[in-house]
Amino acid sequence: MDISALAQMLNPKEDDSDSETDCVKHTPADIGKSKPKSKIPDVTPTTVKKAQTGKDIWDPEFVPEGVATEHQETRPQPHYDMCFKQNVRTEDMFLGMSGKNPGSNDELVITISLPNAKSSEIDLNVTDDRVDCWTSKHALRLHLPKPVVSNQGSAQWITDKEQLKLTLPLKKEYNFLP
Protein backbone atom coordinates (compact mmCIF):
# COMPACT_ATOMS: atom_id res chain seq x y z
CA MET A 1 0.00 0.00 0.00
CA ASP A 2 1.23 3.48 -0.81
CA ILE A 3 1.20 5.63 2.36
CA SER A 4 1.67 8.89 0.46
CA ALA A 5 -1.46 8.18 -1.63
CA LEU A 6 -3.40 7.55 1.57
CA ALA A 7 -2.11 10.79 3.07
CA GLN A 8 -3.10 12.74 -0.05
CA MET A 9 -6.58 11.26 0.06
CA LEU A 10 -7.06 12.16 3.73
CA ASN A 11 -5.49 15.64 3.45
CA PRO A 12 -6.25 17.07 0.02
CA LYS A 13 -4.47 20.22 -1.11
CA GLU A 14 -6.25 23.40 -0.14
CA ASP A 15 -7.78 25.37 -2.99
CA ASP A 16 -9.03 28.94 -3.07
CA SER A 17 -12.42 27.64 -4.14
CA ASP A 18 -15.15 27.78 -1.52
CA SER A 19 -17.71 25.86 -3.57
CA GLU A 20 -18.56 22.35 -2.37
CA THR A 21 -19.25 21.18 -5.93
CA ASP A 22 -15.60 21.63 -6.86
CA CYS A 23 -14.36 19.07 -4.32
CA VAL A 24 -13.16 15.71 -5.54
CA LYS A 25 -14.56 12.67 -3.81
CA HIS A 26 -12.16 9.81 -3.08
CA THR A 27 -12.85 6.21 -2.23
CA PRO A 28 -10.63 3.46 -0.82
CA ALA A 29 -10.31 2.15 -4.37
CA ASP A 30 -8.28 5.26 -5.24
CA ILE A 31 -5.40 4.18 -2.97
CA GLY A 32 -2.37 2.66 -4.66
CA LYS A 33 -1.53 2.08 -8.26
CA SER A 34 -4.24 2.19 -10.88
CA LYS A 35 -5.34 -1.27 -11.94
CA PRO A 36 -5.76 -2.36 -15.56
CA LYS A 37 -9.26 -2.62 -16.96
CA SER A 38 -11.19 -5.80 -16.29
CA LYS A 39 -10.97 -8.59 -18.85
CA ILE A 40 -14.71 -9.27 -18.58
CA PRO A 41 -16.18 -8.92 -22.08
CA ASP A 42 -18.77 -6.30 -22.88
CA VAL A 43 -22.13 -8.01 -23.31
CA THR A 44 -24.34 -5.15 -24.30
CA PRO A 45 -27.12 -5.96 -26.79
CA THR A 46 -24.98 -4.60 -29.63
CA THR A 47 -22.03 -6.91 -28.87
CA VAL A 48 -23.96 -10.18 -28.38
CA LYS A 49 -23.55 -12.47 -31.36
CA LYS A 50 -26.91 -13.24 -32.90
CA ALA A 51 -27.97 -16.50 -34.52
CA GLN A 52 -27.88 -16.85 -38.25
CA THR A 53 -30.99 -15.92 -40.14
CA GLY A 54 -33.33 -18.63 -41.25
CA LYS A 55 -35.03 -21.32 -39.20
CA ASP A 56 -32.13 -21.72 -36.75
CA ILE A 57 -32.88 -20.42 -33.27
CA TRP A 58 -29.26 -20.61 -32.07
CA ASP A 59 -25.79 -20.55 -33.49
CA PRO A 60 -24.13 -24.00 -33.79
CA GLU A 61 -21.24 -22.84 -31.58
CA PHE A 62 -23.68 -22.54 -28.63
CA VAL A 63 -24.60 -26.25 -28.77
CA PRO A 64 -22.58 -28.21 -26.16
CA GLU A 65 -20.20 -30.96 -27.23
CA GLY A 66 -21.63 -34.45 -27.42
CA VAL A 67 -25.03 -33.34 -28.71
CA ALA A 68 -25.65 -34.79 -32.13
CA THR A 69 -27.27 -32.25 -34.42
CA GLU A 70 -26.51 -33.82 -37.80
CA HIS A 71 -28.72 -36.92 -37.50
CA GLN A 72 -32.40 -36.48 -38.36
CA GLU A 73 -34.51 -39.12 -36.58
CA THR A 74 -37.56 -40.30 -38.52
CA ARG A 75 -38.93 -42.73 -35.93
CA PRO A 76 -41.54 -41.29 -33.54
CA GLN A 77 -40.66 -40.50 -29.95
CA PRO A 78 -42.42 -42.79 -27.46
CA HIS A 79 -44.46 -41.47 -24.55
CA TYR A 80 -42.48 -41.28 -21.31
CA ASP A 81 -43.01 -40.21 -17.69
CA MET A 82 -40.29 -38.88 -15.46
CA CYS A 83 -40.54 -38.47 -11.69
CA PHE A 84 -38.24 -38.08 -8.72
CA LYS A 85 -38.26 -40.62 -5.92
CA GLN A 86 -37.25 -40.14 -2.32
CA ASN A 87 -36.40 -43.10 -0.11
CA VAL A 88 -38.17 -42.36 3.19
CA ARG A 89 -37.99 -44.56 6.26
CA THR A 90 -39.93 -44.48 9.53
CA GLU A 91 -37.29 -42.44 11.36
CA ASP A 92 -37.42 -39.88 8.55
CA MET A 93 -41.20 -39.45 8.79
CA PHE A 94 -41.70 -39.35 12.55
CA LEU A 95 -38.36 -38.31 14.00
CA GLY A 96 -36.76 -36.34 11.16
CA MET A 97 -33.37 -37.87 11.97
CA SER A 98 -31.86 -38.10 8.49
CA GLY A 99 -32.13 -34.41 7.65
CA LYS A 100 -34.16 -35.08 4.50
CA ASN A 101 -36.57 -32.44 3.31
CA PRO A 102 -39.30 -32.56 0.66
CA GLY A 103 -36.87 -31.20 -1.94
CA SER A 104 -34.15 -33.80 -1.45
CA ASN A 105 -34.53 -36.61 -3.98
CA ASP A 106 -32.65 -39.90 -4.18
CA GLU A 107 -33.60 -41.36 -7.58
CA LEU A 108 -34.98 -40.44 -10.97
CA VAL A 109 -37.58 -42.90 -12.31
CA ILE A 110 -38.31 -42.85 -16.06
CA THR A 111 -41.10 -44.99 -17.52
CA ILE A 112 -41.01 -45.32 -21.32
CA SER A 113 -44.03 -46.77 -23.17
CA LEU A 114 -42.88 -48.91 -26.09
CA PRO A 115 -45.99 -50.46 -27.71
CA ASN A 116 -45.47 -53.56 -29.87
CA ALA A 117 -41.86 -53.86 -28.73
CA LYS A 118 -39.98 -56.80 -27.24
CA SER A 119 -37.34 -56.51 -24.56
CA SER A 120 -34.79 -58.19 -26.82
CA GLU A 121 -35.00 -55.45 -29.47
CA ILE A 122 -34.49 -52.49 -27.10
CA ASP A 123 -31.19 -50.64 -27.40
CA LEU A 124 -30.55 -48.57 -24.26
CA ASN A 125 -27.69 -46.19 -23.51
CA VAL A 126 -27.56 -44.23 -20.23
CA THR A 127 -24.98 -41.55 -19.48
CA ASP A 128 -24.78 -39.13 -16.56
CA ASP A 129 -26.87 -36.51 -18.35
CA ARG A 130 -28.80 -38.37 -21.08
CA VAL A 131 -30.88 -41.48 -21.83
CA ASP A 132 -31.04 -42.92 -25.36
CA CYS A 133 -33.60 -45.65 -26.08
CA TRP A 134 -34.17 -47.14 -29.54
CA THR A 135 -36.36 -49.85 -30.97
CA SER A 136 -37.24 -50.63 -34.57
CA LYS A 137 -40.32 -48.37 -34.28
CA HIS A 138 -39.36 -45.72 -31.70
CA ALA A 139 -36.42 -43.49 -30.82
CA LEU A 140 -35.95 -41.44 -27.65
CA ARG A 141 -33.08 -39.10 -26.86
CA LEU A 142 -33.80 -37.62 -23.46
CA HIS A 143 -31.65 -35.06 -21.64
CA LEU A 144 -31.96 -35.47 -17.89
CA PRO A 145 -32.85 -32.58 -15.56
CA LYS A 146 -30.20 -33.59 -12.98
CA PRO A 147 -27.01 -35.66 -13.27
CA VAL A 148 -27.32 -39.35 -12.40
CA VAL A 149 -24.89 -42.16 -11.53
CA SER A 150 -25.30 -44.06 -14.80
CA ASN A 151 -23.45 -47.24 -13.84
CA GLN A 152 -25.61 -47.83 -10.73
CA GLY A 153 -29.05 -47.64 -12.36
CA SER A 154 -31.47 -50.43 -13.08
CA ALA A 155 -33.89 -51.20 -15.91
CA GLN A 156 -37.02 -53.36 -15.76
CA TRP A 157 -39.21 -54.46 -18.68
CA ILE A 158 -42.91 -54.64 -17.73
CA THR A 159 -44.32 -57.08 -20.30
CA ASP A 160 -48.06 -56.65 -19.77
CA LYS A 161 -47.86 -52.82 -20.02
CA GLU A 162 -45.11 -52.83 -22.68
CA GLN A 163 -43.09 -50.34 -20.66
CA LEU A 164 -39.43 -49.93 -19.77
CA LYS A 165 -38.88 -48.63 -16.24
CA LEU A 166 -35.49 -47.04 -15.48
CA THR A 167 -34.45 -46.24 -11.93
CA LEU A 168 -31.37 -44.01 -11.83
CA PRO A 169 -29.74 -42.77 -8.59
CA LEU A 170 -29.06 -39.04 -8.57
CA LYS A 171 -25.55 -37.73 -8.04
CA LYS A 172 -25.17 -36.17 -4.63
CA GLU A 173 -23.60 -32.74 -4.49
CA TYR A 174 -22.06 -33.56 -1.14
CA ASN A 175 -21.10 -37.09 -0.14
CA PHE A 176 -21.66 -36.49 3.56
CA LEU A 177 -25.40 -35.81 3.13
CA PRO A 178 -27.85 -38.73 3.42
Side-chain angles (χ1 to χ4, degrees):
M1 211 162 51
D2 189 10
I3 298 296
S4 61
L6 179 61
Q8 287 178 355
M9 187 179 86
L10 295 175
N11 297 321
K13 294 180 182 177
E14 297 294 326
D15 280 345
D16 294 337
S17 172
D18 292 336
S19 171
E20 289 184 19
T21 59
D22 291 340
C23 73
V24 177
K25 301 212 183 228
H26 295 284
T27 65
D30 297 332
I31 300 172
K33 298 178 182 176
S34 63
K35 295 180 181 171
K37 282 191 165 185
S38 174
K39 292 183 180 180
I40 298 174
D42 179 25
V43 283
T44 58
T46 57
T47 61
V48 174
K49 187 175 182 181
K50 295 184 179 181
Q52 299 173 353
T53 58
K55 293 184 178 183
D56 294 339
I57 58 172
W58 59 78
D59 199 353
E61 72 184 44
F62 298 133
V63 178
E65 289 183 29
V67 177
T69 56
E70 304 299 320
H71 179 65
Q72 274 301 77
E73 186 57 59
T74 58
R75 294 175 285 183
Q77 178 176 318
H79 176 74
Y80 66 91
D81 290 319
M82 186 182 318
C83 63
F84 291 99
K85 180 179 171 185
Q86 184 180 44
N87 299 325
V88 181
R89 298 182 302 251
T90 308
E91 59 267 17
D92 301 326
M93 284 295 296
F94 298 109
L95 302 175
M97 292 175 62
S98 70
K100 289 187 178 184
N101 60 42
S104 64
N105 299 307
D106 296 319
E107 296 174 333
L108 178 63
V109 179
I110 303 170
T111 306
I112 306 169
S113 297
L114 299 167
N116 302 322
K118 296 178 183 173
S119 62
S120 60
E121 67 179 26
I122 296 173
D123 186 13
L124 181 66
N125 183 21
V126 179
T127 61
D128 290 350
D129 62 345
R130 188 177 66 234
V131 171
D132 297 326
C133 180
W134 298 283
T135 66
S136 59
K137 298 177 184 176
H138 296 93
L140 176 66
R141 179 177 215 112
L142 182 63
H143 290 275
L144 302 176
K146 291 187 176 183
V148 298
V149 183
S150 58
N151 59 356
Q152 294 179 3
S154 65
Q156 177 185 7
W157 176 249
I158 305 169
T159 308
D160 56 338
K161 294 182 180 180
E162 295 179 326
Q163 292 180 338
L164 180 64
K165 182 178 180 181
L166 304 173
T167 305
L168 306 168
L170 294 172
K171 278 189 179 176
K172 302 268 189 212
E173 287 187 41
Y174 306 104
N175 289 334
F176 56 86
L177 292 178

